[in-house]
């Protein structure tokens, strides 16, 4: 675990569902921000003991950048009673558009976070691009309607899901684009971030990056 800024943490852990066929490295990243009252955990996996101890004095919150980044969310909800903020899981129409499957194959839509959506797992709160979460986070459109990029102005940090990644070649826009979206469209969606005083980028895949790396990633 590293602390790239005061009250900001970033760590990596092997994803339990990873296979050699996946296009992303087995080690994935999570991050956390302490706002003095709450400890926000973003896309959490294998939360370090030190952060669990710190969380004893803070209100726990889990924020997912994408619904498929559940990772250890359920165990944190069961252990801490944390509310979960997440973009909406894919509907059947989304699956048809993104993956080219048939309507029959799409069924009722994605199974992501089913336990949370049924109400059995605690408080799940959906958010979308353009929203300001009640925990002080702003959501920007990413490569998909439910793969979002977040801004925390208190620590001048961008928190990215699968839109901005570092798979070993530096921070860049994920080249796995679905549903007809282009890289140029993603760049246009994210360029408003450059008007903000960004100091840190915390990706869900790769190491923390700085503003210069973000500028390079969003160059046309």
């Amino acid at each position: 675990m590293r602390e790239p800024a005061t009250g900001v943490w970033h760590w990596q852990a092997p994803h339990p569902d990873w296979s050699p066929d996946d296009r992303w490295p087995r080690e994935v990243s999570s991050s956390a921000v302490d706002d003095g009252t709450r400890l926000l955990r973003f896309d959490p996996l294998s939360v370090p003991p030190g952060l669990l101890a710190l969380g004893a004095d803070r209100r726990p919150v889990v924020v997912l950048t994408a619904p498929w980044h559940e990772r250890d969310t359920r165990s944190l909800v069961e252990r801490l009673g944390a509310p979960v903020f997440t973009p909406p899981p894919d509907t059947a129409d989304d699956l048809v558009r993104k993956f080219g499957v048939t309507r029959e194959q799409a069924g009722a839509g994605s199974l992501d976070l089913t336990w949370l959506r049924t109400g059995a797992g605690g408080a799940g709160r959906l958010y979308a691009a353009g929203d300001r979460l009640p925990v002080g986070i702003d959501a920007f459109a990413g490569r998909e309607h439910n793969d979002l990029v977040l801004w925390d102005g208190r620590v001048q940090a961008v928190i990215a899901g699968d839109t901005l990644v570092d798979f070993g070649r530096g921070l860049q826009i994920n080249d796995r684009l679905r549903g007809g979206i282009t890289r140029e469209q993603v760049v246009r969606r994210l360029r408003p971030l450059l008007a903000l005083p960004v100091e840190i980028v915390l990706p869900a895949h790769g190491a923390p990056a700085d503003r210069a790396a973000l500028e390079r990633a969003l160059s046309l």
Side-chain angles (χ1 to χ4, degrees):
M1 181 175 68
R2 67 183 76 182
E3 189 175 0
T6 301
V8 179
W9 294 271
H10 189 272
W11 67 96
Q12 295 182 307
H15 197 291
D17 298 327
W18 182 86
S19 78
D21 294 331
D22 287 319
R23 299 180 59 190
W24 39 276
R26 184 180 183 186
E27 293 282 322
V28 299
S29 300
S30 305
S31 54
V33 170
D34 177 11
D35 71 2
T37 301
R38 296 165 293 229
L39 184 63
L40 284 67
R41 299 172 176 93
F42 298 90
D43 299 335
L45 176 65
S46 300
V47 177
L51 278 181
L52 288 174
L54 174 63
D57 297 323
R58 301 287 189 270
R59 295 208 303 269
V61 177
V62 173
V63 183
L64 303 183
T65 58
W68 52 87
H69 277 188
E70 174 182 340
R71 300 179 178 179
D72 283 343
T73 295
R74 185 168 188 172
S75 65
L76 288 171
V77 169
E78 292 172 348
R79 178 176 180 176
L80 304 174
V84 180
F85 293 88
T86 179
D90 287 320
T91 64
D93 287 342
D94 293 329
L95 295 179
V96 171
R97 176 175 51 83
K98 290 182 182 182
F99 301 103
V101 299
T102 65
R103 178 70 56 176
E104 181 179 19
Q105 290 170 323
S110 170
L111 298 178
D112 291 327
L113 298 171
T114 299
W115 60 273
L116 188 66
R117 288 184 279 162
T118 60
R125 307 176 187 182
L126 299 181
Y127 73 91
D131 288 349
R132 180 173 178 81
L133 279 61
V135 292
I137 302 294
D138 295 299
F140 287 77
R143 64 177 186 145
E144 297 175 6
H145 78 285
N146 54 359
D147 178 15
L148 304 183
V149 177
L150 310 179
W151 165 248
D152 189 335
R154 295 163 298 195
V155 292
Q156 298 179 316
V158 169
I159 302 104
D162 288 344
T163 296
L164 290 165
V165 297
D166 182 353
F167 291 159
R169 296 176 293 170
L171 190 72
Q172 61 183 5
I173 291 174
N174 194 337
D175 60 9
R176 189 181 183 189
L177 300 175
R178 302 179 289 217
I181 190 73
T182 66
R183 181 185 182 279
E184 290 71 24
Q185 287 173 307
V186 178
V187 168
R188 286 197 293 271
R189 292 175 181 179
L190 295 181
R191 285 189 70 84
L193 291 171
L194 299 181
L196 302 172
V198 177
E199 292 191 0
I200 309 166
V201 181
L202 303 170
H205 295 275
D210 58 15
R211 181 184 179 86
L214 179 65
E215 291 174 348
R216 289 191 295 270
L218 299 185
S219 60
L220 290 171

